[in-house]
Amino acid sequence: MTLNSPVRRGRRPGGRLGPLPWIGPAVLLILAVVLWPVYEMVRTSFLRVSTSGFVRGSAGLDKYRKLFGEADLGHVLLATVAWTLAVVGLTMLLSLALAQLFDQRFPGRRYTRWALIAPWAASVLMTAIGFRWMLDRTAGVLNTVLTDLGLVDGPRDWLGDPSTAWPWMVFVAVFVSLPFTTYTLLAGLQTVPAEVYEAARVDGASAWQAYRRITLPLLRPAFLVGLVINLINVFNSFPVIWGMTRGGPGSSTATSTVFMYQLKDTDIGESAAMSVVNFALVVLLVLVFLKVSRWNREES
């Protein structure tokens, strides 16, 4: 045995693999759960597939031409952008206020924190269906209460009219998004050292100045985490819209994800093409946001 052998040097035979044995299972899981479905999605978008699932041959770019020729596509994409901005914007603002509240000491704080978890613990689809029942035109509790109070002349079809359906869906989406975002921001607030605020008070800084110049900059990493995750989740949101309106009437309350699901009933290949477009839009959205926010810049 030579002096330069791995055994004489005290190295293990698998030392050259580095961290691969540890990260290997995670890499395989990502390949199986993420990359393989993406590959199948892209491949399917170039095929002619019957509604029963049988492949009828190659379709080339025909499914993409058919998709971009859909009359509802432009409206759906605009609605998706408006939906994402409205839900994420309201969620971040309300979560910031709630996190600030829960960071203070007040009677019953523990119980209010527990109560906030409820919308997150419940199934999103179950919550959406519950609100759909509440807003039902004939048996919904909202119409019953408003009619009994004389606030409306008769039952209203809240989810049958896009002008009222969208605000209700935004409300439900914000409702189920608040717990995660609030606790993410609360965790960020609790990492800010109390000594920093003491020093600011000694220097004569007001509460607003301390919040703007200390709290917000130090909360930036947690804020970006919550914002990026919300952008991805809301852009791809399916259970809230499908559970409340199924994207109807027609596609008037559909986002790109719901529209994709509507297309699969008539053309699986076109639905797969919509999935590819949706996936590309999500990646582009996140990259643009990270570029604009300069998420990896060094703090001064």
Side-chain angles (χ1 to χ4, degrees), residues 47-74:
L47 298 175
R48 287 190 177 88
V49 185
S50 67
T51 53
S52 56
F54 292 100
V55 177
R56 304 299 186 187
S58 175
L61 295 175
D62 289 348
K63 301 304 178 181
Y64 289 92
R65 295 190 188 98
K66 183 179 178 182
L67 173 65
F68 290 116
E70 292 283 351
D72 292 330
L73 181 62

Side-chain angles (χ1 to χ4, degrees), residues 54 60 99 103 187 199 296:
F54 292 100
D103 196 39
N296 61 347

Side-chain angles (χ1 to χ4, degrees), residues 16-236:
R16 291 185 178 182
L17 296 177
L20 188 59
W22 303 100
I23 67 173
V27 172
L28 291 176
L29 183 63
I30 291 173
L31 290 173
V33 176
V34 179
L35 297 183
W36 176 254
V38 169
Y39 165 76
E40 283 295 320
M41 175 182 70
V42 174
R43 188 179 72 88
T44 304
S45 69
F46 293 100
L47 298 175
R48 287 190 177 88
V49 185
S50 67
T51 53
S52 56
F54 292 100
V55 177
R56 304 299 186 187
S58 175
L61 295 175
D62 289 348
K63 301 304 178 181
Y64 289 92
R65 295 190 188 98
K66 183 179 178 182
L67 173 65
F68 290 116
E70 292 283 351
D72 292 330
L73 181 62
H75 165 75
V76 166
L77 293 178
L78 288 176
T80 304
V81 173
W83 157 265
T84 304
L85 292 177
V87 174
V88 174
L90 289 172
T91 298
M92 297 308 298
L93 287 175
L94 293 175
S95 296
L96 193 59
L98 286 172
Q100 196 69 41
L101 173 64
F102 289 154
D103 196 39
Q104 310 300 317
R105 294 189 178 276
F106 58 88
R109 182 179 68 165
R110 176 184 299 179
Y111 302 107
T112 55
R113 285 184 173 184
W114 289 349
L116 184 64
I117 299 177
W120 195 23
S123 164
V124 176
L125 182 59
M126 182 183 72
T127 303
I129 293 175
F131 273 93
R132 186 184 72 193
W133 288 344
M134 185 187 77
L135 298 169
D136 186 77
R137 182 173 186 173
T138 56
V141 65
L142 182 63
N143 275 325
T144 301
V145 171
L146 292 179
T147 303
D148 291 344
L149 293 175
L151 298 178
V152 295
D153 296 332
R156 294 190 59 184
D157 189 7
W158 299 99
L159 299 179
D161 183 355
S163 64
T164 53
W166 277 114
W168 275 110
M169 291 191 299
V170 168
F171 172 81
V172 175
V174 171
F175 177 72
V176 299
S177 302
L178 280 177
F180 167 79
T181 314
T182 298
Y183 277 102
T184 299
L185 297 179
L186 180 60
L189 283 174
Q190 293 181 340
T191 62
V192 181
E195 295 80 6
V196 178
Y197 294 112
E198 292 290 340
R201 278 194 291 268
V202 170
D203 290 339
S206 65
W208 168 245
Q209 288 174 328
Y211 184 75
R212 184 167 59 89
R213 296 184 179 181
I214 296 175
T215 304
L216 289 180
L218 294 179
L219 191 60
R220 186 171 178 270
F223 189 88
L224 288 178
V225 169
L227 188 56
V228 171
I229 292 178
N230 270 291
L231 282 172
I232 297 173
N233 286 343
V234 174
F235 192 92
N236 287 314

